[in-house]
Amino acid sequence: MVVDLAESRKKIDKIDAEIVRLFQERMSVATDVAAYKRSTGKKVFDAQREEEKIATLRAMVDDEFNKKGIEDLFRQIMSISRKHQYQVLGPVVNEIPFQEVDSLDVSDTTKVVCFGEHGAFTEQAMEEVFGNNIQSFNKQSFREVMETVANGEAEYGVLPIENTSTGGITDIYDLLVDYDVTIVAEHVVQIEQALLGLPGTKIEDIRMVYSHPQGLMQCARFLEQHPDMMTKADSSTAGAAKKVHNEKNPSQAAIASERAAKTFGLEVLQPAINDESDNCTRFIIITNKKIFLSDANKMSLCFEIQHQAGALYNMLANFYYNDLNLTKIESRPIENRNWEYRFFVDVEGNINSPGVGNALASVKEFASKVSVLGNIAKR
């Protein structure tokens, strides 16, 4: 049987027009539902109701392919309906109990802790954000920095979280879950790694190179070109420079900053050995206060979701339907729960914006666990 394509297209157009009309009618009814939920305090997301509805709709269809198609279609429609209801309801008052501030409270008595030895890139980031008129000190591990801020020994802490060539620093993401701290700002530093050795040392004499794992990864190409050089990870790049200085072994070198070379009296054997010329690291400023800066323009969230098909898609749709640009997503395994993951996302926006409030209200209902890590300003 020969099918008239033009006639078939006319039929599809007519059907599609009816679907559009019915969709708009459904959204109108969803507005009424939102008004009812506003008056009764009932939550927008009702998982049991949605699953019962899907089962009913699937039962209306005979063909298994169409059953799956109906389920996909109506899950999407219900997701859109939820987003519409959140927009009608508006953001929940005090949804995020953070206090807005115009600037960071900094004076000559302000205590700021940063990761690594003196001469570290983190110390550079700290000085560029806070200046030198503060009481600063260093800790040798990411966890120590977190603890120092969380328990109030320091008002602020500075930690690296992401590098343009080697990606996110996973240890930081895991620690953000363990400690009740807030990311209040971020600062980007251009990173130029150098090979440092004792004065008078020649590159061909080097047999062991120390650095933080990130430093070694950022200079992988240089190290491949020098197969006689073995590598060993250290707690920080500046810590590696300190080690070379203390041990006085001319066969040892460190990958660190030229700032570290000056700090520990080392010689720059070769500058700029990092693979990428535009090598940058993003540092975060943390505090134990629940605050955000007025000019903050990025939300950082952590959430867990049900281990089922479509769960991540439905979660991320909350940002899309509220016109929020998702700038980063990172996953980390959840301890003692094989093949289940915790997600960290950054989205553009300020706590005060309606879109952020709407998205967070939806996220909090849909996620099994969620926390706002901070509303971040660039510094």
Side-chain angles (χ1 to χ4, degrees):
M1 177 181 177
V2 178
V3 176
D4 187 331
L5 181 60
E7 186 62 29
S8 295
R9 285 177 171 172
K10 285 181 182 179
K11 290 179 181 179
I12 287 176
D13 289 344
K14 185 177 180 180
I15 293 168
D16 287 348
E18 183 65 9
I19 290 173
V20 170
R21 185 190 68 78
L22 291 172
F23 175 79
Q24 293 187 95
E25 184 177 336
R26 195 183 197 283
M27 288 301 105
S28 177
V29 175
T31 302
D32 298 335
V33 171
Y36 172 80
K37 289 177 177 178
R38 181 196 294 277
S39 65
T40 60
K42 186 177 176 63
K43 289 186 176 182
V44 169
F45 181 50
D46 186 339
Q48 182 178 348
R49 158 69 178 168
E50 291 196 3
E51 291 307 314
E52 290 172 352
K53 181 70 174 177
I54 290 295
T56 300
L57 292 167
R58 283 179 61 97
M60 295 179 181
V61 183
D62 296 326
D63 180 79
E64 187 57 39
F65 179 86
N66 285 345
K67 283 181 182 289
K68 179 61 177 173
I70 284 293
E71 178 174 347
D72 290 346
L73 174 63
F74 275 89
R75 286 196 184 280
Q76 181 76 341
I77 289 173
M78 287 187 286
S79 175
I80 295 169
S81 178
R82 287 198 304 272
K83 310 310 177 296
H84 177 66
Q85 290 179 57
Y86 282 119
Q87 290 176 346
V88 171
L89 289 169
V92 179
V93 177
N94 295 324
E95 181 67 28
I96 313 172
F98 283 18
Q99 180 184 356
E100 182 177 359
V101 296
D102 291 328
S103 61
L104 298 179
D105 185 15
V106 179
S107 67
D108 58 2
T109 62
T110 300
K111 295 179 181 179
V112 183
V113 60
C114 74
F115 164 72
E117 292 284 351
H118 291 295
F121 289 110
T122 313
E123 190 175 67
Q124 177 184 338
M126 177 185 69
E127 291 178 1
E128 290 179 1
V129 172
F130 293 98
N132 294 305
N133 193 29
I134 55 172
Q135 295 184 23
S136 64
F137 56 103
N138 301 59
K139 293 291 184 179
Q140 302 309 306
S141 73
F142 297 151
R143 183 175 291 277
E144 286 179 304
V145 173
M146 290 277 187
E147 287 178 350
T148 302
V149 174
N151 65 24
E153 290 181 57
E155 285 96 324
Y156 303 103
V158 185
L159 288 162
I161 193 168
E162 183 181 18
N163 179 265
T164 51
S165 59
T166 55
I169 300 174
T170 55
D171 290 350
I172 298 295
Y173 288 103
D174 293 337
L175 289 169
L176 284 168
V177 176
D178 294 339
Y179 291 93
D180 186 20
V181 297
T182 300
I183 307 172
V184 70
E186 65 180 15
H187 181 71
V188 176
V189 172
Q190 180 86 23
I191 303 296
E192 190 170 274
Q193 303 282 13
L195 185 69
L196 314 181
L198 296 172
T201 300
K202 297 179 181 179
I203 289 183
E204 52 266 31
D205 297 331
I206 301 302
R207 293 294 177 267
M208 178 63 72
V209 178
Y210 297 96
S211 191
H212 186 273
Q214 287 278 323
L216 296 173
M217 286 191 291
Q218 290 166 27
C219 303
R221 211 169 294 148
F222 171 83
L223 293 169
E224 287 174 2
Q225 293 168 359
H226 295 82
D228 291 337
M229 296 181 184
M230 303 294 289
T231 62
K232 191 170 183 179
D234 202 271
S235 60
S236 70
T237 54
K242 183 179 181 180
K243 181 181 181 69
V244 171
H245 165 76
N246 289 344
E247 296 189 359
K248 308 296 183 188
N249 186 337
S251 69
Q252 295 180 349
I255 291 177
S257 66
E258 294 192 22
R259 176 190 180 102
K262 293 176 183 177
T263 300
F264 295 107
L266 299 179
E267 184 176 319
V268 177
L269 305 182
Q270 188 164 327
I273 63 171
N274 34 276
D275 297 348
E276 304 291 337
S277 58
D278 190 21
N279 186 34
C280 297
T281 294
R282 182 165 64 96
F283 295 85
I284 54 173
I285 314 302
I286 60 171
T287 178
N288 67 358
K289 302 171 186 173
K290 296 299 182 184
I291 59 173
F292 71 99
L293 289 159
S294 302
D295 61 341
N297 61 0
K298 182 195 293 184
M299 291 292 304
S300 188
L301 309 172
C302 170
F303 60 80
E304 297 173 19
I305 51 179
Q306 297 297 321
H307 189 48
Q308 61 189 36
L312 181 59
Y313 168 81
N314 286 323
M315 178 63 77
L316 298 182
N318 292 307
F319 306 121
Y320 171 76
Y321 285 111
N322 284 285
D323 297 319
L324 299 178
N325 184 30
L326 181 71
T327 61
K328 183 176 179 62
I329 180 168
E330 191 95 17
S331 64
R332 296 291 299 146
I334 300 175
E335 188 176 359
N336 298 322
R337 285 160 57 183
N338 288 354
W339 317 121
E340 293 190 41
Y341 296 86
R342 180 181 292 118
F343 296 90
F344 296 83
V345 299
D346 288 346
V347 294
E348 293 178 352
N350 185 281
I351 286 178
N352 288 329
S353 69
V356 168
N358 290 334
L360 284 175
S362 180
V363 164
K364 287 191 171 186
E365 287 194 13
F366 195 85
S368 54
K369 187 176 181 180
V370 62
S371 59
V372 178
L373 301 177
N375 198 187
I376 306 170
K378 294 181 180 178
R379 287 296 182 265

